[in-house]
mmCIF file of all heavy atoms in Angstrom:
data_model
loop_
_atom_site.group_PDB
_atom_site.id
_atom_site.type_symbol
_atom_site.label_atom_id
_atom_site.label_comp_id
_atom_site.label_asym_id
_atom_site.label_seq_id
_atom_site.Cartn_x
_atom_site.Cartn_y
_atom_site.Cartn_z
ATOM 1 N N ALA A 88 5.212 13.727 23.110
ATOM 2 C CA ALA A 88 6.666 13.783 22.880
ATOM 3 C C ALA A 88 7.005 13.268 21.490
ATOM 4 O O ALA A 88 7.836 13.854 20.780
ATOM 5 C CB ALA A 88 7.394 12.984 23.942
ATOM 6 N N SER A 89 6.361 12.185 21.076
ATOM 7 C CA SER A 89 6.587 11.634 19.748
ATOM 8 C C SER A 89 6.202 12.641 18.674
ATOM 9 O O SER A 89 6.952 12.854 17.710
ATOM 10 C CB SER A 89 5.769 10.343 19.580
ATOM 11 O OG SER A 89 5.837 9.890 18.261
ATOM 12 N N PHE A 90 5.064 13.273 18.834
ATOM 13 C CA PHE A 90 4.625 14.276 17.858
ATOM 14 C C PHE A 90 5.610 15.435 17.791
ATOM 15 O O PHE A 90 5.997 15.865 16.698
ATOM 16 C CB PHE A 90 3.215 14.774 18.223
ATOM 17 C CG PHE A 90 2.674 15.808 17.279
ATOM 18 C CD1 PHE A 90 2.180 15.430 16.042
ATOM 19 C CD2 PHE A 90 2.682 17.156 17.614
ATOM 20 C CE1 PHE A 90 1.694 16.375 15.138
ATOM 21 C CE2 PHE A 90 2.203 18.109 16.724
ATOM 22 C CZ PHE A 90 1.697 17.719 15.488
ATOM 23 N N LEU A 91 6.041 15.923 18.951
ATOM 24 C CA LEU A 91 7.005 17.042 19.000
ATOM 25 C C LEU A 91 8.325 16.664 18.334
ATOM 26 O O LEU A 91 8.868 17.441 17.533
ATOM 27 C CB LEU A 91 7.248 17.468 20.441
ATOM 28 C CG LEU A 91 8.263 18.584 20.649
ATOM 29 C CD1 LEU A 91 7.813 19.870 19.957
ATOM 30 C CD2 LEU A 91 8.508 18.811 22.123
ATOM 31 N N VAL A 92 8.835 15.475 18.619
ATOM 32 C CA VAL A 92 10.093 15.037 18.022
ATOM 33 C C VAL A 92 9.958 14.937 16.506
ATOM 34 O O VAL A 92 10.844 15.354 15.771
ATOM 35 C CB VAL A 92 10.580 13.699 18.629
ATOM 36 C CG1 VAL A 92 11.680 13.067 17.804
ATOM 37 C CG2 VAL A 92 11.047 13.914 20.066
ATOM 38 N N HIS A 93 8.844 14.412 16.034
ATOM 39 C CA HIS A 93 8.637 14.303 14.579
ATOM 40 C C HIS A 93 8.537 15.670 13.920
ATOM 41 O O HIS A 93 9.076 15.885 12.825
ATOM 42 C CB HIS A 93 7.429 13.419 14.263
ATOM 43 C CG HIS A 93 7.686 11.967 14.449
ATOM 44 N ND1 HIS A 93 7.396 11.304 15.599
ATOM 45 C CD2 HIS A 93 8.288 11.076 13.636
ATOM 46 C CE1 HIS A 93 7.776 10.041 15.491
ATOM 47 N NE2 HIS A 93 8.326 9.882 14.293
ATOM 48 N N ILE A 94 7.869 16.602 14.570
ATOM 49 C CA ILE A 94 7.790 17.984 14.035
ATOM 50 C C ILE A 94 9.195 18.595 13.983
ATOM 51 O O ILE A 94 9.584 19.214 12.993
ATOM 52 C CB ILE A 94 6.835 18.842 14.869
ATOM 53 C CG1 ILE A 94 5.396 18.367 14.727
ATOM 54 C CG2 ILE A 94 6.963 20.326 14.504
ATOM 55 C CD1 ILE A 94 4.836 18.458 13.338
ATOM 56 N N LEU A 95 9.961 18.425 15.064
ATOM 57 C CA LEU A 95 11.331 18.963 15.095
ATOM 58 C C LEU A 95 12.205 18.318 14.030
ATOM 59 O O LEU A 95 13.003 18.993 13.373
ATOM 60 C CB LEU A 95 11.961 18.758 16.480
ATOM 61 C CG LEU A 95 11.461 19.668 17.585
ATOM 62 C CD1 LEU A 95 12.005 19.225 18.929
ATOM 63 C CD2 LEU A 95 11.838 21.115 17.308
ATOM 64 N N LEU A 96 12.051 17.005 13.833
ATOM 65 C CA LEU A 96 12.818 16.328 12.782
ATOM 66 C C LEU A 96 12.462 16.892 11.408
ATOM 67 O O LEU A 96 13.354 17.157 10.581
ATOM 68 C CB LEU A 96 12.577 14.820 12.811
ATOM 69 C CG LEU A 96 13.303 14.049 13.904
ATOM 70 C CD1 LEU A 96 12.733 12.630 14.015
ATOM 71 C CD2 LEU A 96 14.788 14.019 13.647
ATOM 72 N N LEU A 97 11.184 17.079 11.141
ATOM 73 C CA LEU A 97 10.770 17.646 9.852
ATOM 74 C C LEU A 97 11.347 19.059 9.673
ATOM 75 O O LEU A 97 11.875 19.393 8.611
ATOM 76 C CB LEU A 97 9.248 17.682 9.736
ATOM 77 C CG LEU A 97 8.539 16.352 9.532
ATOM 78 C CD1 LEU A 97 7.038 16.535 9.607
ATOM 79 C CD2 LEU A 97 8.923 15.718 8.208
ATOM 80 N N CYS A 98 11.255 19.868 10.721
ATOM 81 C CA CYS A 98 11.776 21.249 10.642
ATOM 82 C C CYS A 98 13.282 21.267 10.419
ATOM 83 O O CYS A 98 13.785 22.017 9.580
ATOM 84 C CB CYS A 98 11.416 22.019 11.908
ATOM 85 S SG CYS A 98 9.663 22.391 12.055
ATOM 86 N N LEU A 99 14.004 20.446 11.166
ATOM 87 C CA LEU A 99 15.466 20.431 11.037
ATOM 88 C C LEU A 99 15.926 19.844 9.710
ATOM 89 O O LEU A 99 16.925 20.308 9.146
ATOM 90 C CB LEU A 99 16.102 19.688 12.215
ATOM 91 C CG LEU A 99 16.125 20.465 13.532
ATOM 92 C CD1 LEU A 99 16.613 19.554 14.656
ATOM 93 C CD2 LEU A 99 17.005 21.697 13.424
ATOM 94 N N THR A 100 15.205 18.838 9.203
ATOM 95 C CA THR A 100 15.616 18.274 7.909
ATOM 96 C C THR A 100 15.393 19.272 6.779
ATOM 97 O O THR A 100 15.998 19.147 5.718
ATOM 98 C CB THR A 100 14.899 16.947 7.605
ATOM 99 O OG1 THR A 100 13.499 17.127 7.655
ATOM 100 C CG2 THR A 100 15.344 15.843 8.538
ATOM 101 N N LEU A 101 14.564 20.268 7.008
ATOM 102 C CA LEU A 101 14.433 21.370 6.063
ATOM 103 C C LEU A 101 15.453 22.471 6.341
ATOM 104 O O LEU A 101 16.088 23.005 5.430
ATOM 105 C CB LEU A 101 13.027 21.959 6.106
ATOM 106 C CG LEU A 101 11.911 21.098 5.535
ATOM 107 C CD1 LEU A 101 10.549 21.700 5.872
ATOM 108 C CD2 LEU A 101 12.057 20.943 4.038
ATOM 109 N N ALA A 102 15.604 22.813 7.604
ATOM 110 C CA ALA A 102 16.451 23.956 7.990
ATOM 111 C C ALA A 102 17.930 23.706 7.737
ATOM 112 O O ALA A 102 18.646 24.636 7.307
ATOM 113 C CB ALA A 102 16.220 24.293 9.471
ATOM 114 N N VAL A 103 18.410 22.509 7.977
ATOM 115 C CA VAL A 103 19.845 22.240 7.791
ATOM 116 C C VAL A 103 20.277 22.436 6.338
ATOM 117 O O VAL A 103 21.237 23.176 6.084
ATOM 118 C CB VAL A 103 20.245 20.860 8.354
ATOM 119 C CG1 VAL A 103 21.680 20.527 7.994
ATOM 120 C CG2 VAL A 103 20.055 20.821 9.864
ATOM 121 N N PRO A 104 19.598 21.845 5.356
ATOM 122 C CA PRO A 104 20.037 22.096 3.981
ATOM 123 C C PRO A 104 19.822 23.543 3.538
ATOM 124 O O PRO A 104 20.613 24.085 2.767
ATOM 125 C CB PRO A 104 19.220 21.138 3.125
ATOM 126 C CG PRO A 104 18.289 20.436 4.007
ATOM 127 C CD PRO A 104 18.575 20.783 5.417
ATOM 128 N N VAL A 105 18.765 24.194 4.028
ATOM 129 C CA VAL A 105 18.551 25.595 3.663
ATOM 130 C C VAL A 105 19.685 26.473 4.205
ATOM 131 O O VAL A 105 20.179 27.356 3.496
ATOM 132 C CB VAL A 105 17.163 26.107 4.118
ATOM 133 C CG1 VAL A 105 17.056 27.608 3.987
ATOM 134 C CG2 VAL A 105 16.070 25.414 3.313
ATOM 135 N N THR A 106 20.115 26.214 5.435
ATOM 136 C CA THR A 106 21.231 26.991 5.988
ATOM 137 C C THR A 106 22.545 26.676 5.269
ATOM 138 O O THR A 106 23.387 27.568 5.119
ATOM 139 C CB THR A 106 21.396 26.792 7.507
ATOM 140 O OG1 THR A 106 21.620 25.401 7.787
ATOM 141 C CG2 THR A 106 20.182 27.291 8.262
ATOM 142 N N GLY A 107 22.688 25.444 4.806
ATOM 143 C CA GLY A 107 23.858 25.111 3.990
ATOM 144 C C GLY A 107 23.836 25.864 2.665
ATOM 145 O O GLY A 107 24.876 26.342 2.185
ATOM 146 N N TRP A 108 22.665 25.953 2.065
ATOM 147 C CA TRP A 108 22.502 26.702 0.821
ATOM 148 C C TRP A 108 22.814 28.178 1.060
ATOM 149 O O TRP A 108 23.493 28.831 0.258
ATOM 150 C CB TRP A 108 21.087 26.515 0.327
ATOM 151 C CG TRP A 108 20.793 26.996 -1.070
ATOM 152 C CD1 TRP A 108 21.673 27.530 -1.988
ATOM 153 C CD2 TRP A 108 19.516 26.963 -1.717
ATOM 154 N NE1 TRP A 108 21.010 27.827 -3.143
ATOM 155 C CE2 TRP A 108 19.693 27.484 -3.009
ATOM 156 C CE3 TRP A 108 18.259 26.529 -1.335
ATOM 157 C CZ2 TRP A 108 18.641 27.601 -3.914
ATOM 158 C CZ3 TRP A 108 17.223 26.621 -2.223
ATOM 159 C CH2 TRP A 108 17.407 27.162 -3.500
ATOM 160 N N ALA A 109 22.330 28.700 2.193
ATOM 161 C CA ALA A 109 22.627 30.111 2.539
ATOM 162 C C ALA A 109 24.120 30.300 2.724
ATOM 163 O O ALA A 109 24.690 31.302 2.263
ATOM 164 C CB ALA A 109 21.862 30.507 3.795
ATOM 165 N N LEU A 110 24.770 29.355 3.363
ATOM 166 C CA LEU A 110 26.218 29.425 3.571
ATOM 167 C C LEU A 110 26.958 29.467 2.241
ATOM 168 O O LEU A 110 27.842 30.292 2.037
ATOM 169 C CB LEU A 110 26.674 28.228 4.421
ATOM 170 C CG LEU A 110 28.181 28.016 4.574
ATOM 171 C CD1 LEU A 110 28.853 29.240 5.160
ATOM 172 C CD2 LEU A 110 28.429 26.782 5.427
ATOM 173 N N ALA A 111 26.592 28.582 1.321
ATOM 174 C CA ALA A 111 27.236 28.585 0.010
ATOM 175 C C ALA A 111 26.959 29.887 -0.728
ATOM 176 O O ALA A 111 27.810 30.412 -1.466
ATOM 177 C CB ALA A 111 26.737 27.402 -0.821
ATOM 178 N N SER A 112 25.776 30.459 -0.487
ATOM 179 C CA SER A 112 25.377 31.683 -1.189
ATOM 180 C C SER A 112 26.117 32.925 -0.702
ATOM 181 O O SER A 112 26.387 33.828 -1.472
ATOM 182 C CB SER A 112 23.866 31.906 -1.013
ATOM 183 O OG SER A 112 23.139 30.843 -1.575
ATOM 184 N N VAL A 113 26.452 32.962 0.592
ATOM 185 C CA VAL A 113 27.116 34.175 1.148
ATOM 186 C C VAL A 113 28.636 34.062 1.160
ATOM 187 O O VAL A 113 29.315 35.039 1.465
ATOM 188 C CB VAL A 113 26.613 34.493 2.582
ATOM 189 C CG1 VAL A 113 25.108 34.716 2.608
ATOM 190 C CG2 VAL A 113 27.038 33.420 3.593
ATOM 191 N N SER A 114 29.159 32.906 0.802
ATOM 192 C CA SER A 114 30.610 32.717 0.835
ATOM 193 C C SER A 114 31.314 33.730 -0.065
ATOM 194 O O SER A 114 30.925 33.928 -1.215
ATOM 195 C CB SER A 114 30.973 31.298 0.397
ATOM 196 O OG SER A 114 32.367 31.155 0.274
ATOM 197 N N THR A 115 32.348 34.317 0.475
ATOM 198 C CA THR A 115 33.130 35.288 -0.296
ATOM 199 C C THR A 115 33.936 34.601 -1.396
ATOM 200 O O THR A 115 34.417 35.273 -2.309
ATOM 201 C CB THR A 115 34.059 36.086 0.612
ATOM 202 O OG1 THR A 115 34.888 35.177 1.353
ATOM 203 C CG2 THR A 115 33.258 36.944 1.585
ATOM 204 N N LEU A 116 34.057 33.280 -1.351
ATOM 205 C CA LEU A 116 34.744 32.538 -2.411
ATOM 206 C C LEU A 116 33.892 32.467 -3.668
ATOM 207 O O LEU A 116 34.413 32.250 -4.766
ATOM 208 C CB LEU A 116 35.101 31.122 -1.943
ATOM 209 C CG LEU A 116 36.078 31.033 -0.771
ATOM 210 C CD1 LEU A 116 36.222 29.577 -0.329
ATOM 211 C CD2 LEU A 116 37.414 31.634 -1.152
ATOM 212 N N ASP A 117 32.580 32.624 -3.524
ATOM 213 C CA ASP A 117 31.629 32.643 -4.639
ATOM 214 C C ASP A 117 31.787 31.417 -5.558
ATOM 215 O O ASP A 117 31.812 31.535 -6.796
ATOM 216 C CB ASP A 117 31.787 33.932 -5.436
ATOM 217 C CG ASP A 117 30.543 34.217 -6.283
ATOM 218 O OD1 ASP A 117 29.440 33.764 -5.905
ATOM 219 O OD2 ASP A 117 30.681 34.880 -7.340
ATOM 220 N N ILE A 118 31.863 30.234 -4.935
ATOM 221 C CA ILE A 118 32.006 28.983 -5.700
ATOM 222 C C ILE A 118 30.609 28.476 -6.044
ATOM 223 O O ILE A 118 29.765 28.343 -5.168
ATOM 224 C CB ILE A 118 32.777 27.930 -4.868
ATOM 225 C CG1 ILE A 118 34.198 28.425 -4.601
ATOM 226 C CG2 ILE A 118 32.790 26.594 -5.607
ATOM 227 C CD1 ILE A 118 34.978 27.563 -3.637
ATOM 228 N N PRO A 119 30.363 28.208 -7.335
ATOM 229 C CA PRO A 119 29.037 27.681 -7.715
ATOM 230 C C PRO A 119 28.780 26.318 -7.078
ATOM 231 O O PRO A 119 29.700 25.580 -6.749
ATOM 232 C CB PRO A 119 29.133 27.543 -9.233
ATOM 233 C CG PRO A 119 30.340 28.289 -9.649
ATOM 234 C CD PRO A 119 31.254 28.358 -8.467
ATOM 235 N N SER A 120 27.498 26.007 -6.942
ATOM 236 C CA SER A 120 27.088 24.697 -6.440
ATOM 237 C C SER A 120 26.678 23.852 -7.648
ATOM 238 O O SER A 120 25.653 24.092 -8.253
ATOM 239 C CB SER A 120 25.911 24.829 -5.479
ATOM 240 O OG SER A 120 26.286 25.560 -4.332
ATOM 241 N N PHE A 121 27.514 22.888 -7.983
ATOM 242 C CA PHE A 121 27.250 21.996 -9.109
ATOM 243 C C PHE A 121 26.451 20.786 -8.606
ATOM 244 O O PHE A 121 26.975 20.004 -7.839
ATOM 245 C CB PHE A 121 28.544 21.514 -9.747
ATOM 246 C CG PHE A 121 29.414 22.638 -10.264
ATOM 247 C CD1 PHE A 121 30.531 23.042 -9.554
ATOM 248 C CD2 PHE A 121 29.100 23.289 -11.441
ATOM 249 C CE1 PHE A 121 31.332 24.072 -10.014
ATOM 250 C CE2 PHE A 121 29.893 24.319 -11.909
ATOM 251 C CZ PHE A 121 31.010 24.713 -11.201
ATOM 252 N N TYR A 122 25.211 20.660 -9.041
ATOM 253 C CA TYR A 122 24.389 19.528 -8.604
ATOM 254 C C TYR A 122 24.792 18.302 -9.412
ATOM 255 O O TYR A 122 24.400 18.144 -10.577
ATOM 256 C CB TYR A 122 22.903 19.845 -8.771
ATOM 257 C CG TYR A 122 21.993 18.763 -8.233
ATOM 258 C CD1 TYR A 122 21.839 18.595 -6.869
ATOM 259 C CD2 TYR A 122 21.320 17.909 -9.078
ATOM 260 C CE1 TYR A 122 21.034 17.610 -6.364
ATOM 261 C CE2 TYR A 122 20.508 16.922 -8.596
ATOM 262 C CZ TYR A 122 20.368 16.757 -7.226
ATOM 263 O OH TYR A 122 19.565 15.765 -6.720
ATOM 264 N N PHE A 123 25.599 17.453 -8.795
ATOM 265 C CA PHE A 123 26.130 16.246 -9.416
ATOM 266 C C PHE A 123 26.710 16.518 -10.813
ATOM 267 O O PHE A 123 26.582 15.696 -11.718
ATOM 268 C CB PHE A 123 25.082 15.134 -9.478
ATOM 269 C CG PHE A 123 24.625 14.648 -8.130
ATOM 270 C CD1 PHE A 123 23.342 14.909 -7.685
ATOM 271 C CD2 PHE A 123 25.494 13.951 -7.315
ATOM 272 C CE1 PHE A 123 22.927 14.460 -6.438
ATOM 273 C CE2 PHE A 123 25.092 13.507 -6.055
ATOM 274 C CZ PHE A 123 23.805 13.760 -5.628
ATOM 275 N N ASN A 124 27.331 17.666 -10.966
ATOM 276 C CA ASN A 124 27.947 18.084 -12.230
ATOM 277 C C ASN A 124 26.956 18.134 -13.394
ATOM 278 O O ASN A 124 27.363 18.060 -14.543
ATOM 279 C CB ASN A 124 29.153 17.215 -12.599
ATOM 280 C CG ASN A 124 30.358 17.558 -11.758
ATOM 281 O OD1 ASN A 124 30.542 18.707 -11.364
ATOM 282 N ND2 ASN A 124 31.172 16.567 -11.473
ATOM 283 N N LEU A 125 25.678 18.256 -13.078
ATOM 284 C CA LEU A 125 24.652 18.318 -14.137
ATOM 285 C C LEU A 125 24.167 19.750 -14.373
ATOM 286 O O LEU A 125 24.041 20.179 -15.507
ATOM 287 C CB LEU A 125 23.464 17.419 -13.785
ATOM 288 C CG LEU A 125 23.770 15.941 -13.639
ATOM 289 C CD1 LEU A 125 22.534 15.186 -13.127
ATOM 290 C CD2 LEU A 125 24.205 15.362 -14.981
ATOM 291 N N VAL A 126 23.857 20.431 -13.282
ATOM 292 C CA VAL A 126 23.373 21.808 -13.359
ATOM 293 C C VAL A 126 23.982 22.620 -12.219
ATOM 294 O O VAL A 126 24.419 22.045 -11.220
ATOM 295 C CB VAL A 126 21.824 21.902 -13.282
ATOM 296 C CG1 VAL A 126 21.160 21.238 -14.445
ATOM 297 C CG2 VAL A 126 21.307 21.333 -11.977
ATOM 298 N N VAL A 127 23.986 23.907 -12.388
ATOM 299 C CA VAL A 127 24.427 24.799 -11.330
ATOM 300 C C VAL A 127 23.183 25.281 -10.573
ATOM 301 O O VAL A 127 22.237 25.784 -11.183
ATOM 302 C CB VAL A 127 25.227 26.006 -11.888
ATOM 303 C CG1 VAL A 127 25.563 26.992 -10.776
ATOM 304 C CG2 VAL A 127 26.481 25.523 -12.575
ATOM 305 N N ILE A 128 23.193 25.107 -9.265
ATOM 306 C CA ILE A 128 22.105 25.597 -8.431
ATOM 307 C C ILE A 128 22.425 27.065 -8.118
ATOM 308 O O ILE A 128 23.495 27.367 -7.581
ATOM 309 C CB ILE A 128 22.001 24.798 -7.114
ATOM 310 C CG1 ILE A 128 21.790 23.312 -7.387
ATOM 311 C CG2 ILE A 128 20.898 25.376 -6.233
ATOM 312 C CD1 ILE A 128 20.472 22.920 -7.948
ATOM 313 N N PRO A 129 21.530 27.969 -8.439
ATOM 314 C CA PRO A 129 21.826 29.388 -8.170
ATOM 315 C C PRO A 129 21.912 29.682 -6.672
ATOM 316 O O PRO A 129 21.242 29.027 -5.869
ATOM 317 C CB PRO A 129 20.661 30.119 -8.820
ATOM 318 C CG PRO A 129 19.572 29.113 -8.938
ATOM 319 C CD PRO A 129 20.209 27.771 -9.031
ATOM 320 N N HIS A 130 22.711 30.669 -6.345
ATOM 321 C CA HIS A 130 22.799 31.101 -4.952
ATOM 322 C C HIS A 130 21.539 31.842 -4.546
ATOM 323 O O HIS A 130 20.856 32.427 -5.398
ATOM 324 C CB HIS A 130 24.021 32.017 -4.766
ATOM 325 C CG HIS A 130 25.323 31.303 -4.849
ATOM 326 N ND1 HIS A 130 26.506 31.944 -5.062
ATOM 327 C CD2 HIS A 130 25.649 29.995 -4.757
ATOM 328 C CE1 HIS A 130 27.504 31.095 -5.084
ATOM 329 N NE2 HIS A 130 26.982 29.885 -4.902
ATOM 330 N N LEU A 131 21.268 31.806 -3.274
ATOM 331 C CA LEU A 131 20.165 32.587 -2.730
ATOM 332 C C LEU A 131 20.541 34.061 -2.805
ATOM 333 O O LEU A 131 21.724 34.400 -2.732
ATOM 334 C CB LEU A 131 19.886 32.193 -1.269
ATOM 335 C CG LEU A 131 19.400 30.762 -1.056
ATOM 336 C CD1 LEU A 131 19.376 30.416 0.425
ATOM 337 C CD2 LEU A 131 18.032 30.558 -1.660
#
Side-chain angles (χ1 to χ4, degrees):
S89 173
F90 180 77
L91 177 62
V92 167
H93 284 95
I94 293 297
L95 286 172
L96 283 168
L97 288 173
C98 290
L99 284 172
T100 55
L101 289 170
V103 172
V105 168
T106 59
W108 191 3
L110 171 57
S112 299
V113 302
S114 173
T115 56
L116 297 174
D117 200 27
I118 298 171
S120 297
F121 301 103
Y122 185 74
F123 295 112
N124 284 328
L125 299 173
V126 296
V127 175
I128 302 290
H130 288 163
L131 295 171

